[in-house]
Amino acid sequence: MIAIDMNPAKEKWARKFGATDFINPRQLPEGKRIQDHLIELTDGGLDFTFDATGNVSCDSDLTTRP
């Protein structure tokens, strides 16, 4: 399970509940999109995503292929 959050304080909490990876999009290299990072990390992309923020743009960002 990959947890994504801009608040680094949530990493410990996410790992406690099973996250194997924690990504802070603000810490990605300049110009690198979260989508591209996830494709590299997972060797091709994700089969399923779950958004718990309620922010529609987050959901569409993760389900849109480059």
Side-chain angles (χ1 to χ4, degrees):
M1 179 170 64
I2 302 169
I4 302 169
D5 202 295
M6 292 187 282
N7 182 349
K10 292 185 180 179
E11 181 174 0
K12 186 176 179 180
W13 182 84
R15 292 191 184 276
K16 177 180 177 182
F17 287 96
T20 56
D21 295 276
F22 184 89
I23 301 167
N24 181 339
R26 291 181 178 166
Q27 295 177 339
L28 293 176
E30 180 83 26
K32 187 166 192 178
R33 300 178 328 145
I34 186 69
Q35 297 94 323
D36 297 329
H37 182 72
L38 291 169
I39 289 168
E40 290 174 14
L41 181 67
T42 60
D43 194 27
L46 302 162
D47 292 324
F48 301 97
T49 62
F50 177 79
D51 171 35
T53 65
N55 184 336
V56 177
S57 69
C58 288
D59 189 43
S60 64
D61 286 348
L62 292 177
T63 57
T64 303
R65 290 276 181 167

